[in-house]
Amino acid sequence: VIGAGPVGLAAAAHLHTYQQPFIVLEAGAEPGAAIRNWGHVRTFSPWRYMIDNAARDLLLANGWQPPDPEAIPNGDALVDGFVAPLAAHPAIAPHVRFNARVTAVGRKDFDKVRTRGRDQQPFEIRLADGDVIEARAVIDASGTWQAPNPAGSGGVAVPGEIDNADRIAYGIPDVVGGERSTYARRRILVVGSGHSAFNVILDLMTLAEQEPATDVVWVMRKENLETVWGGGASDALEARGELGQRARRAVEAGRLKVMTPFRIREFAKSARGVGVRGVIREQESQIEVDRIIVCTGFRPELDMHKEVRLSLDPWLECTTALGPLIDPNEHSCGTVRPHGARELAHAEKDFYIIGMKSYGRAPTFLLATGYEQARS
């Protein structure tokens, strides 16, 4: 199992239940290491949806006290209340390796082309430290946090994006807490129109109240702001709907500048920060800021699987069978039907990608979905 986040450890719990030998490889120094990067962010789902059933049974038998099922945790609480205790469970802990970054997965002595006898060969999992592990099956639950989408609306980095990496953050930095000094009293550009952007915008509004010299500009490529806010009170996840409405109220109150539809064309170093050149409604526009936060989602990192026979949807980069079920052009997370091993199967026998990474570029994954994938 690649990844010691909640879904990878849920897979480990099921493997223990079925008395199957396993090893969990985690690139970070602790379980749920990627979640710690957004530990300050409140999730959308209450605890009753955040705990895998097989993992729950293991933990309860070991004296674990479950959280309030109706409470909504943030990322740190998810790790502290579930992920870390599961990783420390006597049935799991001896089989978890930390600081074990996987660099390549393939069949022993077989490249991708060779077929005859392929299914009888073990997998070889190669680690960054040079170690090699053999396995009869692989479950990749490594997530997508380390592979953020770039700021460019076309899916590739815009000129200057790499050169200005020291002034660009991806995801949801803790602008009010641990990274406050980086953003307070600065000119901040936020890129993106999803729930990650909502979180960042609302935190920056809090920061601006405490540090009035903080200036925020929000750009997105949406044509119409009315399509951004989500379902509000009708959202299946109440906390998610409220997040969008809070962001809407901040915009309507004039607490920040919004530019849409804005297409970024270039980042360039300037005397006072970063110059951002873009186009808004066919007109050239120039903004100068100190810091940029890119909230444009994530994509699967598949380089480690170059010698695995993957069956990929051509635009979402999930499995071919899963693509039509989760296509964000047609579906939200509330309209995705349950799916499991059949839909997640690749051409490579006994190889699966589950969890956030299984959705490829689709942004609608829910943790409860990952647990059902692990069970299946």
Side-chain angles (χ1 to χ4, degrees):
V1 179
I2 305 173
V7 177
L9 290 171
H14 285 278
L15 288 163
H16 170 76
T17 300
Y18 286 102
Q19 300 182 334
Q20 299 299 308
F22 65 89
I23 184 169
V24 180
L25 303 171
E26 167 57 47
E30 63 171 328
I35 296 175
R36 290 295 190 193
N37 288 282
W38 53 268
H40 60 290
V41 178
R42 191 169 179 251
T43 66
F44 300 136
S45 302
W47 271 111
R48 69 178 183 271
Y49 298 123
M50 306 293 274
I51 299 171
D52 170 77
N53 288 334
R56 182 194 302 273
D57 292 344
L58 267 184
L59 288 167
L60 288 173
N62 202 44
W64 171 73
Q65 295 297 313
D68 176 358
E70 299 307 316
I72 298 178
N74 64 12
D76 281 336
L78 176 60
V79 175
D80 294 336
F82 172 60
V83 178
L86 182 56
H89 190 282
I92 305 292
H95 311 292
V96 181
R97 286 179 56 175
F98 297 107
N99 299 305
R101 181 175 298 279
V102 175
T103 58
V105 177
R107 294 283 185 177
K108 184 177 183 180
D109 298 327
F110 276 51
D111 64 16
K112 186 187 289 188
V113 176
R114 189 175 173 189
T115 298
R116 183 172 297 176
R118 184 178 191 85
D119 292 350
Q120 285 70 54
Q121 287 292 102
F123 287 96
E124 274 190 341
I125 299 92
R126 297 184 179 273
L127 305 183
D129 65 5
D131 201 1
V132 180
I133 297 169
E134 292 188 8
R136 67 179 179 86
V138 173
I139 300 173
D140 181 355
S142 61
T144 59
W145 186 259
Q146 301 301 326
N149 288 328
S153 55
V156 296
V158 296
E161 187 166 351
I162 295 171
D163 292 341
N164 288 280
D166 60 330
R167 291 180 176 267
I168 302 174
Y170 297 85
I172 313 174
D174 189 3
V175 300
V176 179
E179 298 177 70
R180 182 189 188 95
S181 62
T182 301
Y183 296 97
R185 300 180 300 281
R186 303 289 197 279
R187 300 164 299 167
I188 314 300
L189 179 73
V190 178
V191 184
S193 60
H195 293 95
S196 294
F198 294 170
N199 272 294
V200 170
I201 287 295
L202 292 170
D203 283 349
L204 285 170
M205 292 300 92
T206 299
L207 182 62
E209 289 174 358
Q210 300 165 357
E211 303 279 359
T214 305
D215 186 43
V216 182
V217 178
W218 188 8
V219 303
M220 60 189 86
R221 58 188 179 188
K222 294 281 189 180
E223 295 288 338
N224 185 343
L225 274 177
E226 292 303 313
T227 66
V228 171
W229 311 124
S234 64
D235 196 299
L237 294 171
E238 182 179 348
R240 184 178 61 190
E242 173 58 17
L243 188 68
Q245 294 310 302
R246 287 173 59 204
R248 179 179 192 160
R249 290 193 290 270
V251 170
E252 291 176 346
R255 296 171 62 197
L256 72 162
K257 182 178 181 180
V258 179
M259 301 177 70
T260 186
F262 191 94
R263 269 57 170 189
I264 296 173
R265 294 291 184 250
E266 182 182 21
F267 294 136
K269 292 186 186 300
S270 67
R272 297 181 54 225
V274 180
V276 181
R277 185 174 65 83
V279 176
I280 180 167
R281 301 194 185 281
E282 310 304 324
Q283 299 294 316
E284 289 280 336
S285 179
Q286 186 82 20
I287 311 166
E288 186 173 68
V289 296
D290 300 302
R291 305 288 309 187
I292 299 163
I293 302 174
V294 180
C295 306
T296 53
F298 299 83
R299 61 184 60 181
E301 194 284 293
L302 299 171
D303 284 353
M304 71 173 75
H305 300 317
K306 284 184 176 178
E307 293 305 319
V308 174
R309 292 181 171 182
L310 299 179
S311 304
L312 294 178
D313 181 272
W315 56 86
L316 293 182
E317 297 177 353
C318 59
T319 57
T320 307
L322 187 58
L325 304 182
I326 66 171
D327 186 345
N329 296 294
E330 306 291 338
H331 292 282
S332 70
C333 54
T335 64
V336 176
R337 68 171 174 80
H339 57 271
R342 181 172 59 186
E343 292 86 356
L344 296 170
H346 288 269
E348 194 74 72
K349 185 176 182 293
D350 297 326
F351 174 87
Y352 296 92
I353 297 174
I354 68 173
M356 180 76 77
K357 191 171 181 176
S358 73
Y359 268 40
R361 298 197 186 194
T364 49
F365 175 79
L366 292 174
L367 193 50
T369 298
Y371 294 150
E372 172 57 20
Q373 291 175 340
R375 185 205 65 78
S376 181

